[in-house]
Amino acid sequence: MAKYDYVPSPFMSNPIVKWVDHRLPIFEMVDQQLIKYPAPRNLNYWWNFGSLAGVMLVVMILSGIFLAMNYQPSTVAAFDSVERIMRDVNYGWLLRYMHMNGASMFFVVVYIHIARGLYYGSYKAPREILWWLGLLIFLAMMATAFMGYVLPWGQMSFWGATVITNLFSAIPLVGKSIVTWLWGGFSVDNPTLNRFFALHYLLPFVIAGLVLLHLWALHVHGSNNPLGIDAKGPQDKIPFHPYYTVKDAFGLSVFLIIYAYFVFFNPYMLGDPDNWIPANPLVTPPHIVPEWYFLPFYAILRSVPDKLGGVTLMFGAIAILFVLPWLDTSRVRSGRFRPAFRVFFWLFMVVTVTLGWCGSQPPEGMALTIGQICTVLYFLHFLVFLPLLGWFERPLPLPASIAEPVLKSAAK
Amino acid sequence: MRSFRFLLAGVGLALSLGTAAASEGPEIPHQHWSHDGFFGTFDRAALQRGYQVYKEVCSACHSMKQMRFRNLEGIGLDEAQIKAVAAEFETTDGPNDDGEMFQRPSRPSDRFRMPFANDNAARAVNGGALPPDLSLIAKNRKGGENYVVALLTGYADPPEGVTVPEGMHYNKVFPGHMIAMNQPIQDDAVTYADGTKATVDQMAHDVATFLAYAASPHLEARNALGVKVMLFLFVLAGLLYAAKRKIWKGLH
Ligand code: HEM
């Protein structure tokens, strides 16, 4: 836990609070880790996205539990049970659209959260384990979203599940057996749907556990900040409450406006129309595309003509993030003081967005070529650009402390 | 701020690439719908005309599995009218005490009648093509209800050099242009109770309105609640912004 001069909040002297805390110091934990918790005074709005992700996790779990009360995980009943939720369950449409669009919002938030970490070098020492936990959350989220998308048993549910589970058949020797084992049969069918439902219900709670570890790791050294330098003393920090509670609450209200826009006024925009057609194993849709948040990885997968190669690169695209703290050789954390890095950072952003576009296109012609170029650039960024930048780049001079530029700009 | 600009540029680039790609298929013109927009509501008269078109024309071939007669409340029918409409149809019920299935007049809680016993029966009389269920057609085709209008009004003579196979028909917007459904509505295919002239365009627009309702029966409730939620959130955001400003002011 961060070391600082802890002055308990007034409520800590309440006798009931004292009685409880003597037995289970839960109020003390809340007071130390949430209320008095010292945070850098200069966090900008990019630091809102962690708490937004936490809110989205809660929203997803709550809406999901109520959906599950009305959902039937069987190939004959699933599609109709979801339609029943939309048509006959009181506010069922609201639950469903919150959950459906919530998944997209969750990914938007987490992608921005990760990009924030990439830009400000938040993955660097001493936050490597914090970074890994974040990546594990990301992986668990992808698994959850993938299996959740199968549940309504529309055309894309079925065919997406078929394509993605089939990827495992690329593994030499045991691939085919693994796929049969995953399916619980010889095609995506009732057993597959059943186990996906069980796992889709389970994984968010695993994510919740990982988030606790993530926060624990965060609170050991505290948040990074836009300057990327360590706090030098108490003048660099402010208590989390009320400063960041109110800032997070304001950010949340703005985020909710965007989320509500999709839920109430444009609930179909982010989904594929084909998933409103009941699953039919005999009719293959002309384009099988995953949800938008998987598209960059889908593009990487398809940019390699060889199946095993594609699968390896796709998983490699995430695996490489685990070693990022050692691939980035610069000792300066924040992109703000790394002019050359900044160029490559934005190049990388363009590359990932372009990969997303390529993933939405049939893998041929221009889209395929662009996808291949971007795949190469994606890996070059981590394997060549970042390691070299650390050596060749001349970072700008760092400020002496966090408080210095803040107070200077306030004095003006 | 700088970073915002970059982000916007990136998103803009992606969107323009995306729309460039999306505009490859035949153009689906966007119709004017009273149910578009934040305050959109369905045009009740159009819904009722649209249901008439579905009932008298499309239902000969197309099922609407998700629809029950009681859902006609949303097109503006009252309880007695719904009972009367339902009673025009028969539903298989049973088994009775003798173990027999029997036919009885439909009730509001019954589903719309299925035109065929199963998919194979439907294919058998449609030259091998399956007329899709229309409950969700306004959601499961790109362009939604606009596509339905474009499809119904998109029949034309094939361009020079294109031969249309036996049992197929040329359509400007159907993927591949060869559709097994013959043009289902001609002028005056139905006689509207409210005296509206039943042109092909009119009927296409009406039936598409009805299909849009069938696909999103909650649309009006959604818009109404959405407007309230938005108002609430804007006020909340304003208050929180003021609170944030006030609290942070003391810091420097
Ligand atoms: C369920 C998803 C997630 C939740 C609920 C979550 C929650 C949080 C919260 C509340 C914070 C502190 C506030 C902030 O710095 O923004 C945080 C920090 C952080 N998260 Fe996450 N996170 C999630 C996913 C991820 C992922 C996928 C990654 C990266 C791979 C990640 C990496 C980080 C890092 C590096 C920090 C420290 C940032 C800093 O102080 O500069 N997180 N997370």
Side-chain angles (χ1 to χ4, degrees), chain A residues 310-331:
Chain A
V311 174
T312 312
L313 271 203
M314 183 177 71
F315 285 109
I318 297 174
I320 203 165
L321 292 169
F322 280 90
V323 283
L324 173 60
W326 296 274
L327 292 175
D328 182 349
T329 48
S330 171
R331 295 229 296 287

Side-chain angles (χ1 to χ4, degrees), chain A residues 194-218:
Chain A
N194 263 289
R195 60 189 57 188
F196 277 18
F197 180 48
L199 292 173
H200 183 70
Y201 207 134
L202 170 70
L203 278 182
F205 297 93
V206 173
I207 296 177
L210 287 169
V211 169
L212 287 182
L213 291 178
H214 189 69
L215 291 178
W216 185 6
L218 174 73

